[in-house]
Amino acid sequence: MAAELVEAMNMVKSFRVSDLQTLLASMGRSKSGLKQDLVGRALRLVQTEYSPELLKNVRQLYESRFPKSAAWLPARRPEGVPVAYSSLSSSPSLTSQGTDYLNGISKPLHTPATEVRLVPLPFYQTLETLLPPTELVAHNSEKLQDSHCVFELTPSQADQVRNASELRAGIRSVQVVLRICYSDPIGVQEDQYPPNIAVKVNQSYCHVPGYYPSNKPGVEPRRPCRPINITPWLHLSSVPNRVTITWGNFGKRYSVAVYLVRVFTAADLFNRLKLCSVESAERCRERIQDKLRFDPESEIATTGLRVSLICPLVKMRLGVPCRVLTCAHLQCFDAVFFLQMNEKKPTWTCPVCDKPAPFELLTIDGLLSEILKETSEDIEEIEYLTDGSWRPIRDEKEKDRDRERERSNTPEYPVVDICIPEANGHSPAHSSTSLSGRSGSGSVGTSAAAGGPAAAPGGGVVVDLTLDSSSEEEGGGAGGDSDDTDDSNDSPAPKRGRYNYDKDLVTAY
């Protein structure tokens, strides 16, 4: 079931606009909008309303476009590349095993009537189902309940685990995992732990992922719900394995399942992404032209779209530009960092628009990959134009550096001191330079005594700024009128400061 669902989604991704509109119209959905909107609408339709009729329509549309394809083949998956996920239903080998037990009660071998389906996980490929999803049953009204399940491995299953390669120390590529989810038969269920969960395998407690601290105020820490690896505590023989699950009974129903899985790393998923999901540069240009195509109903005409070459996740230059097919934006993020972050903390959320970003919908942007190779490291932003071309956007810091270079190339002129008469041929107004030039050194002392400018100890000139032009003319020099001289002699002597200078005088240099 899950494999057919993934194959149908891959076929939908390869449809043209006309195929998508035909599929949506046949199922009574709206067929208006751009191609990315139609793809997202069709994928949601396949995920939520999967039925034989819908499968038939998808298959007919796919075979009409690819008439040479005679078999039910996944789109965008080259021949020989296995589908990432297999069905979660019980395997035929389950019937050859002994009786399974849950909560200490003998359980029939067939799958329960209300079948619970767990969502496929990108980093796990289900090889066999050891215990199908079965509900945890409360024995009493206590808040903490203990439920038990017993299963055993066949010799071939034990050999698979025993001979599997190690991803890192103590972690094998083939594992036996325990998955817990809500007991809801509608749709597919994500992993969800009950409160106060603890898992004991063969009388030994196994590790359950803890809580992630929240960096937002007022937000409680969240526990990452993922499959629990119980392989290190299992008997890799015909001896039965007993699993005890302690859980909080607070009104919600939970189901538990045990699977034999193959574990992938971020590098494995990246290699699969490069092999199966690369959007060509020509298709990317068509997408850009569709976005920038003139709309007569729109009042604003868009002439370009800016795209940053910096990854929003790590604030570094993009290495492998990646985006989600259902997202409307052209901004990309780095595929390697995105997969590594989801390997440690699976959120599968687009870092640009915060919408769901499942692995099946990721694609590598071929055009932006070429642009990254053609541009230098100092280019951090580009702009897509209406014809599908692009141009680099220079950073403001680079522009500032260019302005500095222009200023440094400006010719330098000598600095002129306007206080020196020989520098410009003129004497500054109201300075004692002209007085000293006419009267000599003796006149300077006389003028100082008369309240005029006086020489400062440091070689400067003391100018009385409280005098206006008329008073300066009256007491300017020794060659003035005698009546003015008498008046100046009758005026009181200027006040002296603490350090023997006139209070109303300042030193001018």
Side-chain angles (χ1 to χ4, degrees), residues 116-133:
V116 177
R117 293 178 298 159
L118 282 145
V119 64
L121 299 177
F123 290 100
Y124 298 88
Q125 177 187 357
T126 302
L127 302 177
E128 294 187 53
T129 303
L130 305 179
L131 180 69

Side-chain angles (χ1 to χ4, degrees), residues 128-144:
E128 294 187 53
T129 303
L130 305 179
L131 180 69
T134 310
E135 187 173 352
L136 298 175
V137 179
H139 297 288
N140 48 48
S141 59
E142 296 292 331
K143 293 301 180 183
L144 285 181

Side-chain angles (χ1 to χ4, degrees), residues 143-307:
K143 293 301 180 183
L144 285 181
Q145 299 287 330
D146 286 338
S147 298
H148 310 280
C149 62
V150 178
F151 66 93
E152 63 183 50
L153 299 174
T154 63
S156 62
Q157 294 169 349
D159 290 339
Q160 280 184 285
V161 177
R162 191 180 297 109
N163 300 328
S165 60
E166 286 193 351
L167 300 176
R168 51 186 180 272
I171 305 297
R172 296 181 179 273
S173 59
V174 176
Q175 301 175 1
V176 177
V177 297
L178 181 77
R179 298 185 67 180
I180 304 176
C181 66
Y182 288 132
S183 298
D184 189 356
I186 301 176
V188 292
Q189 302 299 317
E190 296 183 352
D191 291 69
Q192 187 65 48
Y193 297 158
N196 308 112
I197 182 176
V199 179
K200 186 187 294 185
V201 180
N202 297 325
Q203 304 302 318
S204 298
Y205 283 101
C206 67
H207 173 71
V208 178
Y211 287 90
Y212 282 147
S214 175
N215 54 3
K216 297 180 180 180
V219 178
E220 295 182 358
R222 187 178 62 88
R223 184 196 293 268
C225 298
R226 61 176 67 186
I228 302 173
N229 181 19
I230 61 176
T231 311
W233 299 273
L234 293 179
H235 300 303
L236 299 180
S237 61
S238 58
V239 178
N241 294 283
R242 183 181 180 87
V243 179
T244 303
I245 304 170
T246 303
W247 54 286
N249 181 24
F250 293 95
K252 293 185 178 181
R253 299 163 55 197
Y254 296 90
S255 293
V256 61
V258 181
Y259 298 102
L260 180 68
V261 300
R262 184 179 302 279
V263 183
F264 297 111
T265 63
D268 297 330
L269 293 189
F270 177 64
N271 292 332
R272 191 188 309 166
L273 188 66
K274 289 194 301 181
L275 184 64
C276 307
S277 185
V278 178
E279 193 169 20
S280 63
E282 291 75 16
R283 178 67 191 94
C284 295
R285 289 191 183 92
E286 293 177 2
R287 184 189 297 271
I288 295 168
Q289 291 173 351
D290 289 342
K291 279 185 166 294
L292 296 178
R293 184 175 290 116
F294 175 71
D295 186 2
E297 298 181 359
S298 177
E299 298 180 356
I300 301 175
T302 305
T303 59
L305 290 173
R306 290 195 174 191
V307 173

